[in-house]
């Protein structure tokens, strides 16, 4: 029997009914449009979302989202780490490359609360 070894250093927690607005490009000033997708899971260092778009590995993306129970908009610069196709959709994994201290702290506390509940 093959055993899976977790390689992630940070716990990912599932999110339901939370969306992320995705802007392709290095910064918000360079993009013409955005797409909104559902977040699958999130961690202190990245997230996975379901998209209709195919993104390239290492492609920079700008994300905007709000965590449940919060009113603070989180803006994060990210890079695509992987993308896996499933039917006509893509599971896209991104890693944060620029996340403000307030946003990081909010995200970390949110994940801590969720992991203590389980």
């Amino acid at each position: 029997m093959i055993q899976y070894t977790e390689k992630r250093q940070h716990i990912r927690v599932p999110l339901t009914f939370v969306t992320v607005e995705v802007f392709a490009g290095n910064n918000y000033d360079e993009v013409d449009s955005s797409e909104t997708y559902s977040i699958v899971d999130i961690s202190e260092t990245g997230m996975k979302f379901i998209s209709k778009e195919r993104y390239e590995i290492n492609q920079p993306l700008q994300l905007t989202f709000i965590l449940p129970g919060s009113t603070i908009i989180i803006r994060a610069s990210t890079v695509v780490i992987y993308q896996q196709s499933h039917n006509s959709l893509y599971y896209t994994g991104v890693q944060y490359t620029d996340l403000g201290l307030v946003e990081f702290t909010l995200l970390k506390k949110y994940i801590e609360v969720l992991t203590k509940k389980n």
Side-chain angles (χ1 to χ4, degrees):
M1 179 168 154
I2 298 174
Q3 289 192 348
Y4 174 74
T5 304
E6 178 62 63
K7 295 179 184 177
R8 292 186 185 107
Q9 294 178 341
H10 300 279
I11 296 171
R12 286 188 177 252
V13 295
L15 286 181
T16 53
F17 308 112
V18 180
T19 59
V20 60
E21 191 170 13
V22 178
F23 303 83
N26 287 318
N27 63 55
Y28 293 99
D29 296 331
E30 294 179 1
V31 296
D32 295 327
S33 63
S34 65
E35 297 291 336
T36 302
Y37 302 118
S38 294
I39 298 173
V40 175
D41 60 37
I42 196 163
S43 76
E44 294 176 26
T45 57
M47 76 166 58
K48 178 171 38 175
F49 58 87
I50 299 172
S51 70
K52 293 184 225 171
E53 298 294 322
R54 184 182 186 304
Y55 298 108
E56 298 297 323
I57 301 301
N58 295 320
Q59 180 177 352
L61 300 176
Q62 305 302 314
L63 307 182
T64 303
F65 60 99
I66 299 174
L67 294 171
S70 176
T71 58
I72 298 172
I73 297 172
I74 297 178
R75 290 182 175 85
S77 297
T78 68
V79 62
V80 176
I81 300 300
Y82 74 88
Q83 193 166 58
Q84 181 180 23
S85 64
H86 180 71
N87 297 328
S88 61
L89 298 174
Y90 296 94
Y91 286 85
T92 304
V94 297
Q95 181 177 17
Y96 308 128
T97 57
D98 187 19
L99 185 65
L101 181 58
V102 171
E103 291 86 352
F104 174 77
T105 303
L106 180 66
L107 185 56
K108 184 174 180 170
K109 292 212 180 283
Y110 178 79
I111 292 168
E112 286 173 0
V113 167
L114 280 184
T115 54
K116 286 180 184 177
K117 285 182 179 179
N118 297 328

